[in-house]
Amino acid sequence: MARMHTRRRGSSGSDKPVADDPPEWSDVDSDAVENRIVELAEQGHSPSEIGLKLRDEGVQGTPVPNVQLATGKKVTEVLEGHDASADLPEDLRNLMERAVGLREHMAANPNDAQNKRALQNTEAKVRRLADYYRGDALDADFQYTYEHAQELL
């Protein structure tokens, strides 16, 4: 399958091994994991950062290799259950941050044609992703604009 904005083909990625049960060495309580997730979210960490911190630091000194195996829910589902979820989905927020940064770069460097193309591609991705989330995670009347993105971020 070709990449979205180039004519090159992408390289295949690796898959996580299929597992139904958490490993024996990781015997953490699901309530403790959920409390740690909410605590990290209140500190301002995104769901992917929370997963990395749980993998590296763990809960009470025991690493959590997979939150879904330990709790039966994904990190975002745990956050929604505790009313600690973010106002924007993480992938949309990251793309909007990139688009705002590229727009600021283009204001300072108007002749940078390569980054002008990167800005066009990034804003196209933001619009497609907003179409996907519109009505569920976003308001039905959400429209991406640079000014609106600056306000949200």
Side-chain angles (χ1 to χ4, degrees), residues 36-37 40 45-58 63-65 67 75 90:
R36 181 72 175 143
I37 289 172
L40 289 170
H45 295 289
S46 67
S48 60
E49 291 173 337
I50 291 172
L52 291 175
K53 285 195 171 287
L54 288 175
R55 182 197 68 192
D56 296 340
E57 299 170 6
V64 181
V67 172
V75 174
E90 183 182 5

Side-chain angles (χ1 to χ4, degrees), residues 98-123:
R98 184 186 304 170
V100 167
L102 283 170
R103 183 69 68 109
E104 291 169 358
H105 173 78
M106 288 304 300
N109 304 287
N111 293 330
D112 192 349
Q114 190 171 11
N115 280 326
K116 182 178 181 182
R117 174 81 173 138
L119 175 64
Q120 292 169 347
N121 290 341
T122 304
E123 288 183 340

Side-chain angles (χ1 to χ4, degrees), residues 47-134:
S48 60
E49 291 173 337
I50 291 172
L52 291 175
K53 285 195 171 287
L54 288 175
R55 182 197 68 192
D56 296 340
E57 299 170 6
V59 177
Q60 301 163 350
T62 305
V64 181
N66 191 331
V67 172
Q68 190 168 4
L69 292 178
T71 63
K73 297 184 255 182
K74 295 183 177 182
V75 174
T76 53
E77 292 171 349
V78 171
L79 293 176
E80 288 171 1
H82 290 277
D83 294 327
S85 60
D87 53 345
L88 284 175
E90 183 182 5
D91 51 355
L92 182 62
R93 174 178 287 281
N94 292 340
L95 277 175
M96 289 172 72
E97 285 177 4
R98 184 186 304 170
V100 167
L102 283 170
R103 183 69 68 109
E104 291 169 358
H105 173 78
M106 288 304 300
N109 304 287
N111 293 330
D112 192 349
Q114 190 171 11
N115 280 326
K116 182 178 181 182
R117 174 81 173 138
L119 175 64
Q120 292 169 347
N121 290 341
T122 304
E123 288 183 340
K125 286 181 186 178
V126 169
R127 287 189 199 96
R128 278 197 306 274
L129 200 57
D131 286 342
Y132 175 77
Y133 283 124
R134 193 171 292 122

